[in-house]
Amino acid sequence: MSQALRQSLFSPQSVAIVGQSDDVNKTAGRPLKYLRQAGYAGRIYPINPRRKDVLGERAYPSLAALPEVPEHAYVVAPTEPAIEAVAECGRLGVKVATVLADGFAEAGPKGKAREARLKDICAASHLRIVGPSSLGIVDLRSKAMLTANAAFDEADLPVGRIFAASHSGSMIGALLSRGKARGIGFAGLVSVGNEVDLSLGEICEATLDDPGIDGYMLFLETLRHADALRGFAQRAAAANKPVIAY
């Protein structure tokens, strides 16, 4: 189960970018550029219902219009369209959806109601959600650059053996750039956001049997799922993989 989840998260064979913009200067315009720039070898499906092409590539009007069900969908659309896209992911059988949009628990009662809708989608399907408020997931080995963080706009990012997980989306970019300046590379990085479904601990645990990861760096703003974090830390200790948490 962990191996299957790890593949869908970090080395999917196909990805959809829901809400991909034609403007690389916009946050929603970055993911397609980053994937191509890094040399990701999987199949990429940009979704934009208002355009026939984005950044010179064919755009599709919806997930349902794709020639296959993507393994991982990075949803960079605004809040309400993002919820609709996640619902479509659940109906179609997408394995993982990473959600960039904010406006959820931090936005009061309306935001909490939106989070409840996401949880209902997970409960009614096999979909797993990263986020919302996630600046994405990156595996520097598979070149799966599913992020909108501007720090990843480089073609020669160093690959290492550390996995970084953070509640803060900006922090994964800060770790990457400061690590590069010091000759330190990463195997992968994830911004977990609000953890409406997949928690930081669960995501990290899915990587524990990855022979390319020697240790973990965590940036924690809260403890939403303490049991999962504790379970991961105990298993990491048993595997002799150190965990540094701030």
Side-chain angles (χ1 to χ4, degrees), residues 33 133 180 197 224 241:
K33 177 189 177 184
S133 297
K180 182 180 179 182
D197 175 38
R224 291 192 188 92
K241 295 190 175 186

Side-chain angles (χ1 to χ4, degrees), residues 7-174:
Q7 176 179 315
S8 299
L9 285 168
F10 299 106
S11 54
Q13 299 301 299
S14 58
V15 300
I17 310 168
V18 183
Q20 171 68 44
S21 171
D22 190 50
D23 185 350
V24 293
N25 295 312
K26 294 182 177 179
T27 300
R30 295 170 184 165
L32 178 58
K33 177 189 177 184
Y34 293 176
L35 285 163
R36 292 303 187 198
Q37 185 171 265
Y40 171 69
R43 298 175 294 282
I44 306 173
Y45 300 108
I47 309 292
N48 188 320
R50 296 186 300 274
R51 298 187 62 89
K52 292 184 178 180
D53 60 81
V54 290
L55 304 184
E57 299 190 30
R58 177 182 177 182
Y60 294 82
S62 66
L63 287 161
L66 299 181
E68 64 175 314
V69 176
E71 191 171 357
H72 191 140
Y74 189 26
V75 182
V76 297
T79 305
E80 288 299 332
I83 296 172
E84 295 171 10
V86 171
E88 188 175 22
C89 286
R91 290 193 298 270
L92 294 174
V94 176
K95 293 179 180 178
V96 173
T98 299
V99 182
L100 172 66
D102 56 13
F104 290 86
E106 73 281 0
K110 288 185 178 179
K112 290 180 180 178
R114 294 183 186 117
E115 277 204 1
R117 289 164 65 187
L118 294 182
K119 290 178 181 178
D120 288 343
I121 293 167
C122 288
S125 68
H126 296 292
L127 178 69
R128 304 306 308 269
I129 295 176
V130 180
S133 297
S134 169
L135 262 176
I137 293 179
V138 170
D139 189 304
L140 291 160
R141 300 160 301 172
S142 70
K143 313 299 183 184
M145 306 285 284
L146 295 171
T147 182
N149 189 308
F152 291 84
D153 191 8
E154 295 188 45
D156 59 343
L157 296 172
V159 178
R161 302 181 65 83
I162 301 169
F163 184 82
S166 170
H167 285 115
S168 163
S170 61
M171 186 56 67
I172 63 170

